[in-house]
Amino acid sequence: ADDALQLNPKDHATIHGKSLILTRLGRYDEAIKLEKLAFSLDEEGYNPVYETQMAVIYARSGDRQNALRMLKKLKKGLEIGATASFRIAVIYSALGDHDKAFEWLERSYDEGDMLMTSLISNPEFDELHTDARWKDLVRRAGFPD
């Protein structure tokens, strides 16, 4: 990510990618700064990817209040088709609320959400893998065992 940013320091997608890495490394202060920067540089308009990641960073860092604030905003986006149920599931998983995460993953599955294609590769769901509901959902979604 650093090499790509040297070539184009204002590439919001690369900045977002680096924020994802920093989040996984537990470097939340750096990650949130980068995610806010990526959000501000995206000239294409509203993109819920950045707000979802900001909510995840807040949740992982223990800032539950800001995570819930972002979650509420994203839920409002559902009403106008500006976001997806899958993103809500990601945030609930980061918050440690597995029941709500599965509830929203089921909605995503029922809606035929294309984001379900990233179900098994999304690290935010790692903690769900030991739950029997995970195996059932993965099977129904058509992923191999």
Side-chain angles (χ1 to χ4, degrees):
D2 288 332
D3 291 342
L5 285 174
Q6 285 180 356
L7 294 172
N8 186 357
K10 293 188 177 188
D11 180 43
H12 59 90
T14 304
I15 293 168
H16 169 71
K18 185 172 181 180
S19 173
L20 291 171
I21 293 166
L22 291 172
T23 301
R24 296 309 294 171
L25 293 173
R27 294 167 55 185
Y28 304 120
D29 290 341
E30 295 170 80
I32 198 69
K33 286 177 188 172
L34 286 177
E35 203 60 40
K36 287 178 179 179
L37 177 60
F39 185 78
S40 72
L41 292 172
D42 186 356
E43 296 174 359
E44 296 172 22
Y46 177 74
N47 189 334
V49 169
Y50 304 119
E51 289 186 333
T52 302
Q53 184 58 20
M54 283 189 266
V56 166
I57 297 165
Y58 288 135
R60 294 282 176 200
S61 69
D63 187 348
R64 192 168 181 84
Q65 183 178 1
N66 271 320
L68 292 172
R69 181 180 55 82
M70 300 298 294
L71 178 63
K72 184 177 180 180
K73 185 175 181 182
L74 283 160
K75 281 184 174 179
K76 285 183 180 180
L78 285 170
E79 298 168 12
I80 58 170
T83 193
S85 297
F86 188 88
R87 296 189 194 293
I88 305 300
V90 167
I91 297 166
Y92 275 120
S93 186
L95 285 164
D97 189 335
H98 297 179
D99 291 336
K100 286 283 190 189
F102 276 110
E103 176 186 324
W104 285 90
L105 282 171
E106 288 293 342
R107 285 186 191 194
S108 184
Y109 173 78
D110 291 343
E111 294 164 358
D113 186 348
M114 71 172 199
L115 291 174
M116 284 294 289
T117 60
S118 67
L119 178 67
I120 62 172
S121 64
N122 191 315
E124 286 308 321
F125 298 130
D126 286 355
E127 295 169 5
L128 303 181
H129 292 193
T130 58
D131 191 302
R133 295 173 289 184
W134 177 260
K135 187 173 183 174
D136 178 58
L137 180 61
V138 167
R139 179 192 52 77
R140 285 183 290 123
F143 291 101
D145 286 337

